[in-house]
Amino acid sequence: QVSVADTGGGLVQSGGSLRLSCVVSGRSFRSWAMGWFRQAPGKEREFVASITWSAGNTYYADSVKGRFTISRDNAKNTVYLQMDSLKPEDTAVYYCNAGVRVRTPGDYWGQGTQVTVSS
């Protein structure tokens, strides 16, 4: 059984930064490609970023490219999303996903963490 726990959300002013963390347990973390998705009120869940198991490749949505950075620490079974230059339109619940295939989510989701960016 796989457990995905995402944390690190909060309230930040426009232009600020936050770092989300996601810890995966239950199976070999090193074998998973990992990703982040988000869902704003009244909108569908959308892809944000993903990283391959070796961290050799990363992918980003156009809306966050150059502002967000995804990384992973396989020794800690953890993936991170560093979010800089945040904008009000980044406000959403952010979900960690295990087993992502580039921009297509895998089967395992975290519970979500709220990010609110005030203008």
Side-chain angles (χ1 to χ4, degrees):
Q1 187 172 354
V2 177
S3 174
V4 180
D6 39 33
T7 59
L11 173 64
V12 63
Q13 289 188 334
S14 181
S17 298
L18 280 175
R19 189 176 80 157
L20 307 183
S21 299
C22 172
V23 179
V24 179
S25 59
R27 284 181 60 177
S28 176
F29 177 74
R30 289 178 175 81
S31 67
W32 295 108
M34 298 295 300
W36 289 94
F37 293 75
R38 67 186 181 186
Q39 187 166 18
K43 295 187 177 181
E44 293 191 354
R45 194 171 297 188
E46 64 176 4
F47 168 77
V48 175
S50 65
I51 186 168
T52 54
W53 70 270
S54 66
N57 289 294
T58 56
Y59 305 91
Y60 295 93
D62 288 343
S63 58
V64 307
K65 201 171 294 183
R67 300 187 297 120
F68 290 11
T69 303
I70 189 170
S71 61
R72 65 191 295 160
D73 184 339
N74 286 344
K76 296 182 178 179
N77 286 8
T78 302
V79 62
Y80 304 97
L81 185 68
Q82 177 66 41
M83 304 185 295
D84 298 318
S85 302
L86 282 161
K87 304 175 181 180
E89 50 263 44
D90 294 317
T91 295
V93 178
Y94 283 71
Y95 296 91
C96 182
N97 180 265
V100 64
R101 295 172 293 281
V102 186
R103 292 175 173 79
T104 301
D107 294 334
Y108 303 101
W109 293 95
Q111 76 283 2
T113 185
Q114 177 71 48
V115 172
T116 302
V117 184
S118 63
S119 56

